[in-house]
Amino acid sequence: MHTLFPILEQDTPYLNHAAVGPWPRVTAEAVQAFADENMRHGSANYFKWLEREQELREMLARLSGAPSADDIALLKNTTECISAVAWGLDWQPGDNVVLPAGEFPSNRLPWLAQSARGVTAREVDIRAAEDAEGALIDAMDSDTRLLTVSSVQWADGFRLDLERLGAACRERGVLFFVDAIQQLGALPIDVEACQADFLAADAHKWLLAPEGIAVFFCREEVRPRLQLLQQGWHMVDRFWDFDRTEWPVSKTALRFEAGTPNSTGQAALHASAGLLLEFGIDRVSAAILNNTDRLMTELPRIDGICLHSRTEPARRSGIVSFRHDSIAPATLYQGLKDRGISCALREGNVRVSPHFYQGERELSVFLESLAHIV
Ligand SMILES: Cc1ncc(COP(=O)(O)O)c(C=O)c1O
């Protein structure tokens, strides 16, 4: 693992994949090779870049369960994916969109902004509800056009039952958007099984690739319902063919990619996604949930530490958050940081998020450091 993940050479663990994931060696090497190629040959091998891009779409379709690589667009970030839907839909005044309260701003602000078009955002407190999915479903009525959720919540890792939500949406003719940034690359997800119409995720967290590239799944049947926000040369089939007078918009998800893509990001994500697929997402997920299990067992044994994340197996993910009953969260966080541990402070809790390639040693160093601080 140390060869594949040089970050493991550090004495102290990096437990912050829910923020930004470190690159595996193959990813850094792919970027270095692409830099070298650009430096020496410019775009002489452009058609090879296109082949890699197509392979990448296929890999992302496999990771997300998308029926076809044609359903995958490579956009810049989650906000751009969400905005393509929030601003692209033909809302009618009086429509509403349902979402959990406390969503990350990227999955909140674009929906709230639709108030300018007469759309109400219904924010549901899923943590106060005994049945989180039931509360979201109950909040839908005949004016609901779309339900949007982060499949794993950013601050505490609370995981939602996507299949139940998707089935309820389909039954009511409501569109279903999944922000999967805290799940894709960590836990299996299947847009077919959960009947999602849209899925979005950046590459820079659990997918272990750079910032600035994101996957956007858009179901074939709903694509024509979205008005396109940008127009450009790249959103047509065979966009490299400049000897044409007509530029008909592609029927595939390429229609969302108006201009020149992030080819460096593609080279990197191709390497990272390849590694995750090679390892197998089931093995990745088992290792992550094993880490979560250990954290959830051992953290409460440390004096004064209380878990904030929910412990029921169905709610677990790669994120565990906690606090201390008397030490301020910022002090706790700073104490860990001073000991070289990368984690995050989110909504008054310390958040740790180890990935599959970490385990026994990294968690022990973290738990021992924490025990020293309190
Ligand atoms: C649930 C969730 N959505 C979206 C984002 C990031 O959004 P964007 O890609 O637009 O920066 C994050 C980042 O932490 C997140 O946790």
Side-chain angles (χ1 to χ4, degrees), residues 323-358:
R323 63 172 95 86
H324 190 271
D325 60 14
S326 57
I327 302 173
T331 311
L332 204 57
Y333 168 72
Q334 192 58 45
L336 287 165
K337 206 165 164 239
D338 292 345
R339 281 167 176 75
I341 293 172
S342 294
C343 54
L345 185 60
R346 294 288 185 272
E347 297 193 324
N349 292 283
V350 176
R351 181 186 75 179
V352 288
S353 46
H355 213 316
F356 81 101
Y357 62 90
Q358 299 167 305

Side-chain angles (χ1 to χ4, degrees), residues 98 132-141 147 164-165 168-169 172:
V98 173
E133 291 78 9
L136 288 164
I137 295 166
D138 287 349
M140 297 197 248
D141 63 15
L147 168 70
R164 185 169 163 211
L165 293 173
C169 286
R172 292 163 177 74

Side-chain angles (χ1 to χ4, degrees), residues 55-355:
E55 266 177 37
L56 175 58
R57 287 182 212 279
E58 283 159 15
M59 286 172 170
L60 294 170
R62 273 172 68 198
L63 274 174
S64 60
S68 158
D70 285 352
D71 302 322
I72 303 289
L74 298 166
L75 302 188
K76 169 166 95 222
N77 51 43
T78 315
T79 300
E80 195 182 19
C81 307
I82 295 171
S83 299
V85 180
W87 291 103
L89 274 178
D90 169 29
W91 302 97
Q92 301 302 316
D95 284 348
N96 68 65
V97 49
V98 173
L99 66 159
E103 278 286 330
F104 191 80
S106 306
N107 191 29
R108 180 167 185 262
L109 303 180
W111 308 111
L112 261 59
Q114 303 313 313
S115 64
R117 297 158 83 187
V119 178
T120 312
R122 296 185 172 174
E123 299 186 81
V124 178
D125 188 350
I126 53 170
R127 289 172 190 81
E130 213 161 280
D131 171 11
E133 291 78 9
L136 288 164
I137 295 166
D138 287 349
M140 297 197 248
D141 63 15
S142 56
D143 292 323
T144 305
R145 293 283 300 283
L146 184 138
L147 168 70
T148 181
V149 299
S150 292
S151 52
V152 168
Q153 295 286 313
W154 63 291
D156 60 0
F158 188 97
R159 185 173 172 184
L160 282 161
D161 179 348
L162 297 181
E163 294 187 19
R164 185 169 163 211
L165 293 173
C169 286
R170 196 52 72 86
E171 214 172 90
R172 292 163 177 74
V174 170
L175 293 166
F176 186 31
F177 193 110
V178 179
D179 175 343
I181 195 171
Q182 300 292 2
Q183 178 156 352
L184 197 69
L187 308 171
I189 190 161
D190 187 328
V191 291
E192 287 289 76
C194 71
Q195 307 187 66
D197 295 295
F198 313 101
L199 173 143
D202 285 37
H204 68 268
K205 297 185 191 284
W206 302 91
L207 286 169
L208 305 168
E211 294 187 326
I213 185 162
V215 47
F216 177 46
F217 160 78
C218 180
R219 190 170 291 288
E220 185 181 6
E221 303 81 270
V222 300
R223 286 203 284 271
R225 289 173 62 181
L226 295 182
Q227 193 171 346
L228 297 167
L229 310 185
Q230 298 176 29
Q231 307 294 323
W233 70 279
H234 186 270
M235 59 201 279
V236 303
D237 296 327
R238 300 178 55 78
F239 50 76
W240 56 88
D241 174 11
F242 292 99
D243 280 337
R244 58 161 106 206
T245 48
E246 299 294 324
W247 295 79
V249 171
S250 175
K251 289 191 167 54
T252 75
L254 186 65
R255 57 176 36 220
F256 302 108
E257 299 179 23
T260 300
N262 174 0
S263 45
T264 311
Q266 287 179 8
L269 181 54
H270 182 273
S272 305
L275 186 138
L276 288 166
L277 284 166
E278 197 182 312
F279 203 82
I281 205 69
D282 288 335
R283 280 170 73 201
V284 166
S285 141
I288 287 176
L289 293 175
N290 200 36
N291 285 337
T292 297
D293 190 54
R294 177 164 178 211
L295 290 168
M296 288 189 164
T297 307
E298 295 195 23
L299 276 168
R301 291 188 188 145
I302 299 175
D303 223 13
I305 294 291
C306 351
L307 275 181
H308 175 62
S309 295
R310 294 270 291 264
T311 56
E312 304 95 301
R315 299 298 180 205
R316 292 182 181 193
S317 65
I319 295 176
V320 178
S321 65
F322 61 92
R323 63 172 95 86
H324 190 271
D325 60 14
S326 57
I327 302 173
T331 311
L332 204 57
Y333 168 72
Q334 192 58 45
L336 287 165
K337 206 165 164 239
D338 292 345
R339 281 167 176 75
I341 293 172
S342 294
C343 54
L345 185 60
R346 294 288 185 272
E347 297 193 324
N349 292 283
V350 176
R351 181 186 75 179
V352 288
S353 46
H355 213 316

